[in-house]
Amino acid sequence: MHNRVVRTVLALTTVLTLLTLGPTSSAYADTIQTGNRVCSMYVNAVGFGAYCSSGKAYIPGPNAGPPPTWRKKLAGRPFVPCRDFEIPQGIRLPQAPAGKSWAMRITIADYDLDSYNGGPRAHLERAYVAVDDAERAQCPFPDYMKQFWWRFDDSYPAPVLQIMPTYTPRVNIPAYFSLTPDSSLAGKSDTKKYTAEEMTSGLFDQTHNLTMRGMVVNLKIDPGDNTGTFDCKVGVTPVDDPDGYDQSQDPYHQLNTCKHIYTKSSASQPDGMYTVKLTITWEVSYWVGKDAGGWNPIGRANVTAYQRLPVQEVQAIGG
């Protein structure tokens, strides 16, 4: 059954413009079959997530028979293949027509009720639709349909910029920039929350179905002193070296290339601080249990942030 509604539709594959503080980024979506469920995943400048059909995995007991089919789970009740969700944050849409509002409608398509997981052709179709009350009523969500749907989502953590060798840089001495490990990685799983060490190791419990990961892969920095921007290739730093700075070496002999030299102090700036603009590029990937291919990227999105930074003249002893 397909719901046929006269509506304005932005299809799953459409690239959408995002509403951000800085330059706009893109929204991406992908649909996969994972275990006994089909998942529609998304990434935008606010966060990422997934909407899955067919409920939790079937775990048989010692004397259990085959998993129940969808028809058996319905027990004679009608199957409602569509469900409306709120529009994910960060997506810009035109004004909805009078009397209507926007919804993200996900439909389970090409399903087979006589299978335990919807059948091999089952998949999710996503559309952003403008609907009125009558059109919303075409996709009710009775309690018994909860077993066929599942979702998770996550937002990116607030960026925390580290500056080495000191948080207050000195004029004519290199200042090195990095993001803290906690603010450069975000992950979500349908079974548990993984630690930073687990997310970077590539070793996972093989019983889970889907894990999604957002990781910072590029950091564009405008230091605020009218010298232009520069790019830093970044990733999750090792636990034993969270800032990528070698304390045994002086600031002029570091391997980290994400650095900037201020030639003037920030004394003349508002509040005595430079305004540093960060453009953080998140890459979102997914991992399916027992997937030998490892992480599969979905897409990238940019997040803009600002941080105030005092810069001081080098102080000398004596006169």
Side-chain angles (χ1 to χ4, degrees), residues 9-232:
V9 176
L10 296 176
L12 173 68
T13 55
T14 301
V15 177
L16 304 175
T17 302
L18 301 181
L19 181 62
T20 61
L21 293 177
T24 57
S25 183
S26 298
Y28 303 87
D30 199 5
T31 299
I32 61 167
Q33 179 90 36
T34 166
N36 74 329
R37 69 184 65 174
V38 180
C39 295
S40 178
M41 302 173 293
Y42 69 88
V43 48
N44 60 39
V46 175
F48 59 91
Y51 303 86
C52 301
S53 72
S54 80
K56 293 294 185 181
Y58 174 72
I59 303 176
N63 300 315
T69 64
W70 281 13
R71 191 180 302 278
K72 186 173 182 179
K73 290 181 178 180
L74 290 169
R77 297 166 295 192
F79 184 76
V80 183
C82 57
R83 183 178 174 188
D84 287 347
F85 297 89
E86 296 296 322
I87 298 294
Q89 294 182 12
I91 293 179
R92 179 191 296 162
L93 295 171
Q95 181 68 37
K100 297 189 176 185
S101 60
W102 288 104
M104 182 175 70
R105 177 162 293 184
I106 297 181
T107 303
I108 306 173
D110 296 333
Y111 55 87
D112 178 7
L113 293 181
D114 293 315
S115 70
Y116 77 96
N117 63 356
R121 298 180 60 221
H123 64 277
L124 298 182
E125 295 180 353
R126 176 202 305 231
Y128 299 101
V129 301
V131 294
D132 56 25
D133 290 342
E135 291 166 334
R136 282 184 182 274
Q138 292 190 352
C139 294
F141 188 57
D143 286 344
Y144 67 84
M145 283 300 301
K146 291 181 180 178
Q147 62 186 315
F148 298 100
W149 292 92
W150 185 81
R151 65 173 286 185
F152 68 76
D153 52 60
D154 209 352
S155 58
Y156 304 123
V160 179
L161 187 64
Q162 296 187 118
I163 298 94
M164 297 296 289
T166 172
Y167 182 76
T168 304
R170 302 296 192 262
V171 170
N172 295 326
I173 296 178
Y176 293 85
F177 298 85
S178 64
L179 293 174
T180 63
D182 289 343
S183 67
S184 58
L185 177 69
K188 200 77 170 179
S189 170
D190 60 358
T191 54
K192 73 169 187 173
K193 183 78 173 181
Y194 287 91
T195 65
E197 292 86 348
E198 290 173 319
M199 293 296 286
T200 56
S201 70
L203 301 176
F204 292 88
D205 177 1
Q206 297 297 299
T207 62
H208 77 284
N209 284 309
L210 174 65
T211 298
M212 294 184 70
R213 176 187 73 180
M215 186 166 66
V216 176
V217 294
N218 192 77
L219 179 63
K220 182 185 292 291
I221 299 177
D222 180 344
D225 59 354
N226 298 318
T227 58
T229 62
F230 58 94
D231 287 327
C232 299

Side-chain angles (χ1 to χ4, degrees), residues 262-303:
Y262 287 94
T263 59
K264 295 180 180 179
S265 77
S266 57
S268 63
Q269 299 296 312
D271 299 323
M273 293 183 285
Y274 286 112
T275 299
V276 180
K277 179 181 177 181
L278 310 175
T279 303
I280 302 160
T281 302
W282 286 89
E283 181 176 84
V284 175
S285 306
Y286 69 90
W287 174 293
V288 178
K290 301 182 180 179
D291 184 354
W295 291 104
N296 302 283
I298 303 172
R300 295 184 177 188
N302 290 338
V303 176

